[in-house]
Amino acid sequence: MPYPARVNPHLERARTHSKAWAYGMDMVDVPQHGTVIWDEHDLDSHDYALLCAYTHPDAGADELDLITDWYVWVFYFDDHFLELYKRTGDIDSARTYLDRLDLFMPAEGEITAAPENPVERGLTDLWNRTIPHRSAGWRQRFIESTKALLEESLWELANINEGRLSNPIEYVEMRRKVGGAPWSANLVEHSVHAEVPDGIAASRPMEVLRDCFADGVHLRNDLFSYQREVQDEGELSNGVLVFEKFLGLTTQEAADAVNDLITSRLHQFEHTALTEVPALFDEHAVDPAARAATFAYVKGLQDWQSGGHEWHLRSSRYMNEGALDSRGGPELGGATGLGTSAARIFGSVLATAPQRLRSYSTTPFRTVSPPRPSIALPFPLRLSPHLDACRRRNVDWAKRTGLLDGVVWDERRLRAADLALCAAGIDPDATADGLDVTSDWLTWGTYADDYYPMMFGATRDLAGAKACNLRLSAIMAGSATPSTQLEVALADVWARTTADMPPENRLTVRRAVDKMTSSWHWELVNQAQNRIPDPIDYVEMRRRTFGSDLTMSLSRFGHGRAVPPSLYRTRPIQAIEHSATDYACFVNDLYSYRKEIQYEGELHNAVLVVRNFLDCPEERAFEVVTDLMAARLAEFTHAATVELPALFRDYAVAPDVQEMLLGYVEEFRNWMAGIVNWHENVGRYTEAELKYHPMAASAFGGPTGIGTSSLRISSLLPAGR
């Protein structure tokens, strides 16, 4: 914990106020369905005022009172939900209970519903004291994060009822929602009176800061609450337990791995704040006042991290006996207390230096001998009857648009990639024209994967890559004329894809392509720094380099307006999309490992990321990635067969919409089967093809891999395109 913890001078006032407020809301000594949730000793010993005084050290007296009341409320909700619904497994009553809470969170206007329990009474009071003082953008973010931490409690309850333990990727994603740290980040903005500007709030750097903050907070809580949650409550939502079971570790080894992940996330937080946020300001021309507000928010997140750690060491809510006695080190002489936090910075940096340095010290272009993967098709394979003709037309298209330039590609390399085979598997029902569109998108994405490292990576021309991205975006917007082969090919396939789209859909697709190309720039930056990504950042950015936003947006347009956008934002649909994408990414990482590591000096491969994080042998890293791939496939199947039918029931989804969403799931099945088949049969990763690979040791690697940055495109377009 590198940041010094400080305590707010208004602590005692907040203690007095919050205790009176909790009594006023009937949270103390008032039975709920015959069960007393808290007595006075519970409230005093948990000491939520101390938590807020540590996590918001610079808040004024009134702000600290309000923030403390919010935390009293959220912890009461957690225990209230535990006693009434988690312990009983009554998921139907839990859903009704959570649905009512929407009535007390209006974005505009007054609350008209009458509260019926302490959770509803507390929420009513807090909403009226907070919302009028904030902007519309902040209100929307706060409503979304509040709903997430409330509603996703059902995910935890459903897992308990099924006895189902989530996989590590699923766990981190869901813990952010149900754990409430994004909600806490919103309250940081409120407490320091510094809102993040709406224009950058949804940008990658700000999302990464929020997510790193959330992961650090939640995983730290998992360490302290393991005994209480796992041994007392029968809870399955705990990172230590997830690591313990997934990686086959002892409890202490799993705790050490979770602690290493916290360290990695804090390192990612620092890296983003220092290297990406300033560039974001310049890119969006953020004015000085908004820059100062954003940095105040970043500092507030740091204060929360250090303060939350200090509170966990003291609160009776958690397993922390003897923690304060063992604080410090030789340089402190065993000293403890508030005044020693800053002195521990040096020890923290020193202790985590090996992990930090390991991420920057990989040897590029080293010889590796990975095993050839052998992956069974996850679902039945069907191939388009138009495959052979598509192969011929794809080569003609690549020649016509200039992609076979003899520098990046030639015809031999294109035929070895056989992207028509990939298209035929992922889109078996496409028309001939539709299959051509899919194949050409795949070809453009694969060519771009090879083009960026050759044109920009070897010379570290990050500005050139950024300019290229801007040109590609302008071509899609119709404000620039294509000049390079990369631009000519994009202009051609873009026109064929979006010709009949309404303007709002074209804008959505363009933004998805922009997100994909910006992720290639992110890879180039890491290559220039010789920096292996943090494991969580890698998984989430891999989806962007893979083009998943593009393919999914096109798929949704193919379903027309019949499917409400809100359904795509639900947890089951998100789980289906993310797990399928991760499965495909891991398949590629296994097959492309030698090509990327030995021939391209690549850093963006799940095997390398896992090896670096766990500091384990290459063979073990392969096993872990293979297990992750299988776990994501199992999650896809669970979401499709168990959670999706429950979604249909809970949301009263119309039969025609159900049919479309079931077809959407079937597209993903075809997609995964087609990708596995392509990897098994394509020449791109074979020894025969690699011998032609330019092994220029002076060149940086770069964005490489599946070359399927845009998948299933024609199947995602309206019928008959």
Side-chain angles (χ1 to χ4, degrees):
M1 174 47 60
Y3 319 122
R6 297 175 295 123
V7 68
N8 193 298
H10 306 296
L11 168 60
E12 290 305 325
R13 169 178 156 165
R15 277 181 173 143
T16 301
H17 168 85
S18 64
K19 187 171 185 177
W21 184 81
Y23 269 100
M25 297 296 116
D26 291 338
M27 295 178 177
V28 184
D29 292 330
V30 178
Q32 303 297 312
H33 297 268
T35 301
V36 173
I37 308 300
W38 284 351
D39 58 24
E40 185 173 7
H41 173 73
D42 292 327
L43 181 62
D44 289 343
S45 60
H46 294 168
D47 207 349
Y48 300 117
L50 181 63
L51 166 65
C52 296
Y54 268 132
T55 55
H56 300 81
D58 298 319
D62 291 339
E63 285 82 3
L64 186 63
D65 286 347
L66 175 60
I67 295 295
T68 303
D69 292 346
W70 269 113
Y71 279 87
V72 169
W73 174 80
V74 79
F75 278 101
Y76 181 85
F77 162 79
D78 192 49
D79 290 348
H80 188 256
F81 191 83
L82 166 69
E83 294 296 337
L84 270 58
Y85 305 110
K86 280 188 178 179
R87 291 197 189 280
T88 63
D90 188 356
I91 197 166
D92 291 331
S93 297
R95 186 174 291 109
T96 301
Y97 165 84
L98 293 173
D99 287 343
R100 269 189 56 82
L101 295 181
D102 276 351
L103 303 174
F104 305 95
M105 295 187 292
E108 302 288 346
E110 297 182 357
I111 296 172
T112 58
E116 298 178 354
N117 58 55
V119 173
E120 294 176 356
R121 273 190 291 278
L123 183 55
T124 300
D125 177 78
L126 293 167
W127 205 257
N128 291 330
R129 291 162 58 195
T130 307
I131 290 298
H133 304 289
R134 301 264 61 91
S135 69
W138 186 93
R139 292 180 190 183
Q140 189 57 46
R141 295 198 301 273
F142 189 62
I143 288 171
E144 290 175 0
S145 59
T146 305
K147 286 184 177 180
L149 78 89
L150 298 174
E151 294 174 357
E152 299 306 341
S153 297
L154 290 175
W155 173 77
E156 291 185 322
L157 178 54
N159 282 346
I160 290 173
N161 287 348
E162 295 180 32
R164 177 179 177 269
L165 190 65
S166 57
N167 63 72
I169 299 174
E170 176 191 13
Y171 176 76
V172 169
E173 287 186 331
M174 291 307 302
R175 189 72 166 91
R176 287 175 187 166
K177 295 181 179 181
V178 76
W183 175 86
S184 295
N186 295 147
L187 288 178
V188 167
E189 292 181 80
H190 178 79
S191 71
V192 300
H193 301 290
E195 294 188 17
V196 175
D198 288 341
I200 65 171
S203 65
R204 169 191 145 78
M206 300 313 299
E207 287 182 348
V208 169
L209 289 177
R210 181 201 63 206
D211 291 344
C212 288
F213 163 77
D215 296 341
V217 168
H218 294 149
L219 293 170
R220 179 181 295 105
N221 177 264
D222 287 349
L223 290 173
F224 281 92
S225 63
Y226 177 87
Q227 185 178 54
R228 176 177 183 265
E229 292 181 340
V230 176
Q231 296 180 0
D232 176 46
E233 299 174 1
E235 180 64 78
L236 297 177
S237 183
N238 185 285
V240 177
L241 182 64
V242 169
F243 273 49
E244 185 179 346
K245 301 304 182 184
F246 182 82
L247 294 174
L249 303 175
T250 66
T251 302
Q252 186 59 55
E253 289 171 338
D256 292 341
V258 168
N259 190 54
D260 287 342
L261 188 55
I262 295 172
T263 297
S264 182
R265 297 308 277 159
L266 292 180
H267 287 170
Q268 178 68 46
F269 183 97
E270 296 166 358
H271 179 85
T272 302
L274 294 174
T275 65
E276 296 190 42
V277 172
L280 179 71
F281 288 159
D282 294 339
E283 181 179 345
H284 290 265
V286 177
D287 63 63
R291 294 184 186 215
T294 303
F295 277 128
Y297 165 71
V298 173
K299 181 178 179 297
L301 297 181
Q302 290 180 334
D303 287 335
W304 212 112
Q305 288 280 1
S306 55
H309 186 83
E310 293 291 330
W311 176 72
H312 275 85
L313 293 172
R314 290 166 169 79
S315 175
S316 69
R317 188 177 177 90
Y318 301 110
M319 176 182 66
N320 54 20
E321 183 178 353
L324 291 172
D325 297 337
S326 61
R327 288 286 294 274
E331 76 280 11
L332 296 177
T336 61
L338 300 180
T340 62
S341 296
R344 288 196 300 272
I345 296 176
F346 177 76
S348 173
V349 173
L350 187 64
T352 64
Q355 183 176 348
R356 188 192 298 267
L357 293 174
R358 195 166 63 241
S359 296
Y360 289 89
S361 58
T362 187
T363 301
F365 302 103
R366 58 187 175 83
T367 301
V368 296
S369 300
R372 174 174 171 79
S374 179
I375 301 172
L377 286 174
F379 302 106
L381 173 71
R382 295 189 296 125
L383 291 176
S384 169
H386 306 296
L387 170 58
D388 290 338
C390 180
R391 280 178 169 138
R392 293 191 297 272
R393 289 192 295 267
N394 179 248
V395 172
D396 292 340
W397 178 81
K399 290 178 180 177
R400 186 174 69 254
T401 56
L403 296 186
L404 305 187
D405 52 16
V407 178
V408 180
W409 270 11
D410 55 22
E411 185 172 337
R412 178 197 53 75
R413 195 166 187 185
L414 172 62
R415 290 187 181 278
D418 198 3
L419 294 155
L421 175 64
C422 190
I426 62 182
D427 195 3
D429 298 317
T431 64
D433 289 343
L435 194 66
D436 286 347
V437 172
T438 300
S439 180
D440 294 346
W441 267 113
L442 295 174
T443 302
W444 182 82
T446 307
Y447 178 88
D449 273 350
D450 292 342
Y451 178 92
Y452 270 67
M454 184 173 291
M455 296 296 123
F456 309 118
T459 58
R460 303 187 185 183
D461 185 8
L462 302 180
K466 177 81 75 173
C468 180
N469 288 350
L470 292 175
R471 285 273 307 168
L472 295 175
S473 185
I475 285 166
M476 290 183 288
S479 58
T481 301
S483 57
T484 68
Q485 61 270 40
L486 186 68
E487 296 172 357
V488 169
L490 175 62
D492 180 274
V493 73
W494 171 263
R496 291 151 60 203
T497 302
T498 63
D500 298 328
M501 282 186 181
E504 61 272 19
N505 288 4
R506 284 201 299 272
L507 178 60
T508 298
V509 176
R510 178 160 67 88
R511 287 173 175 169
V513 176
D514 288 343
K515 187 175 289 189
M516 179 172 64
T517 59
S518 67
S519 71
W520 298 342
H521 184 269
W522 168 82
E523 289 184 315
L524 290 173
V525 171
N526 286 336
Q527 292 289 154
Q529 298 170 349
N530 197 38
R531 176 179 177 268
I532 300 174
D534 159 84
I536 295 176
D537 198 38
Y538 172 76
V539 169
E540 293 173 342
M541 287 302 292
R542 187 70 168 95
R543 297 169 189 164
R544 296 190 182 192
T545 64
F546 206 68
S548 59
D549 285 336
L550 172 63
T551 62
M552 290 169 192
S553 63
L554 288 169
S555 178
R556 293 170 183 180
F557 297 153
H559 301 151
R561 298 182 180 274
V563 179
S566 59
L567 285 180
Y568 287 118
R569 294 192 294 269
T570 59
R571 198 195 64 74
I573 298 297
Q574 291 285 300
I576 287 168
E577 293 176 345
H578 289 175
S579 59
T581 300
D582 292 346
Y583 177 86
C585 291
F586 293 146
V587 168
N588 172 252
D589 286 351
L590 292 175
Y591 278 90
S592 66
Y593 183 73
R594 186 179 179 209
K595 171 181 176 289
E596 293 180 342
I597 303 305
Q598 181 172 333
Y599 289 84
E600 297 169 348
E602 181 58 79
L603 301 175
H604 302 90
N605 185 289
V607 177
L608 181 65
V609 171
V610 167
R611 183 184 181 189
N612 175 71
F613 173 68
L614 294 179
D615 194 18
C616 65
E618 195 171 73
E619 295 78 7
R620 175 57 178 154
F622 264 89
E623 292 173 358
V624 171
V625 173
T626 302
D627 290 344
L628 279 172
M629 188 178 68
R632 294 304 267 169
L633 181 61
E635 182 186 345
F636 173 89
T637 301
H638 182 270
T641 59
V642 177
E643 297 176 17
L644 193 59
L647 177 73
F648 293 160
R649 182 189 67 243
D650 296 341
Y651 284 76
V653 178
D656 60 327
V657 177
Q658 291 187 32
E659 184 176 356
M660 289 182 181
L661 288 175
L662 290 173
Y664 188 45
V665 173
E666 187 61 26
E667 289 174 359
F668 278 112
R669 294 191 179 102
N670 290 334
W671 187 54
M672 287 186 278
I675 287 172
V676 171
N677 177 70
W678 180 74
H679 279 89
E680 283 284 332
N681 294 284
V682 75
R684 183 172 169 86
Y685 308 111
T686 63
E687 186 68 31
E689 177 64 17
L690 290 178
K691 70 180 182 180
Y692 292 106
H693 200 289
M695 290 185 60
S698 61
F700 284 82
T704 59
I706 192 171
T708 53
S709 302
S710 306
L711 298 175
R712 291 186 300 117
I713 299 297
S714 69
S715 69
L716 313 179
L717 298 175
R721 178 63 57 84

